[in-house]
Amino acid sequence: MTLTHDEFRRKLEINRKQAHKELFSAYCGYVYTIVFNRLRSCASREDIEECVCDVFADVYLSYDSEKSIDGDVSGFIGTVARNRAAEIYRKLSLHKNTVSVSDEMAENLPSEQDIEADTEKNERRRMLLNAVNALGEPDATIIIMKYYYCRSAREIAEITDLTPENVRVRSGRAVKKLKEMLKEECL
C-alpha cells in the first residue's frame, strides 16, 4: 500500500496517531531495505532497527503537511532514510578500521563465486528434478526420500504404503530409468 501526500494529509487531519501507524505499516519494509543496504557492512541488527525508528521519527517531525506536493510520500521517506543511514554509517565508520568501497569500485572487485559453475550446477539440478518428477508416483517419492532425505527402505515403505522389498526394487528400476532419461536429455 502506498500513500499519496494528499491521502496522508487527510489522515493526519483526522487522526494523527493512526496516520503515523498507517505510514509506518506501508513503508517499514521500504525504509528497512534502504537502511539495511547502507549499514549492513558496519552496523549490528540493533543499530539498523534503531536507524529505521529514527527515520520514522524524522519523517513524523519534519513532514510539512502544508506543502503542496503531488505523488506518493515514498520519495520523501526514501530521502530521509538515505540521509539518516548515511549519517549513522559515518558515525559507525569512524569507530571502526574499515575501508569504504563505492558501488562503482565494487563492480570491479573479483568475486570468489563462480557464477558460470553455479548456473551449470543449478541447470543440472533442474534437469534431474524434472526427470525425477517425470517418473511418476510412487517412484518420484521413493527417489526423493531415498536420495534427498536419506530415508531407509523401511521408512519409505511406511510413507508410500509399499513393502520395503518393493521400495528397493522400484528404487533400482527408477534409477535405471533416470539414467536413460538423463542420457537422452544430454544428447
Side-chain angles (χ1 to χ4, degrees):
M1 176 181 112
T2 60
L3 291 173
T4 65
H5 286 282
D6 290 335
E7 291 170 337
F8 186 55
R9 265 189 231 115
R10 279 189 299 252
K11 290 178 189 250
L12 280 173
E13 291 171 3
I14 296 169
N15 185 341
R16 191 168 197 79
K17 192 174 185 178
Q18 184 61 32
H20 287 167
K21 283 182 180 180
E22 287 182 32
L23 185 77
F24 182 83
S25 294
Y27 292 99
C28 182
Y30 174 63
V31 169
Y32 189 89
T33 301
I34 292 170
V35 171
F36 177 79
N37 283 333
R38 185 64 176 123
L39 298 179
R40 66 180 166 199
S41 64
C42 65
S44 68
R45 182 177 180 165
E46 290 81 18
D47 291 333
I48 292 170
E49 289 172 358
E50 186 177 326
C51 183
V52 170
C53 292
D54 290 345
V55 167
F56 281 101
D58 290 347
V59 168
Y60 299 154
L61 293 173
S62 64
Y63 186 77
D64 186 1
S65 60
E66 302 301 316
K67 279 190 177 179
S68 177
I69 305 170
D70 292 331
D72 67 16
V73 294
S74 64
F76 172 70
I77 293 172
T79 301
V80 173
R82 281 186 288 282
N83 290 342
R84 176 57 79 158
E87 179 184 324
I88 300 295
Y89 180 82
R90 281 190 296 275
K91 284 180 184 177
L92 292 173
S93 294
L94 287 175
H95 302 295
K96 292 185 176 184
N97 294 328
T98 58
V99 177
S100 176
V101 179
S102 69
D103 290 339
E104 294 83 28
M105 288 173 58
E107 290 176 5
N108 297 324
L109 290 176
S111 172
E112 292 182 20
Q113 183 180 12
D114 186 354
I115 294 173
E116 187 177 338
D118 290 348
T119 303
E120 190 174 316
K121 187 186 295 184
N122 288 338
E123 181 63 21
R124 279 188 300 225
R125 286 179 181 158
R126 184 193 59 75
M127 284 175 43
L128 180 59
L129 192 55
N130 287 341
V132 167
N133 287 332
L135 290 173
E137 289 300 328
D139 293 344
T141 299
I142 291 170
I143 294 298
I144 289 172
M145 290 293 163
K146 182 174 181 176
Y147 293 102
Y148 285 100
Y149 296 108
C150 300
R151 298 279 170 91
S152 68
R154 185 178 39 79
E155 292 172 317
I156 298 170
E158 291 172 9
I159 294 168
T160 59
D161 293 329
L162 298 170
T163 65
E165 294 77 26
N166 199 350
V167 167
R168 284 190 281 277
V169 169
R170 289 190 80 104
S171 173
R173 289 180 185 159
V175 168
K176 287 179 184 174
K177 273 189 200 176
L178 273 176
K179 285 181 184 177
E180 292 302 316
M181 292 167 72
L182 293 173
K183 279 182 188 176
E184 289 175 16
E185 183 88 20
C186 292
L187 295 179

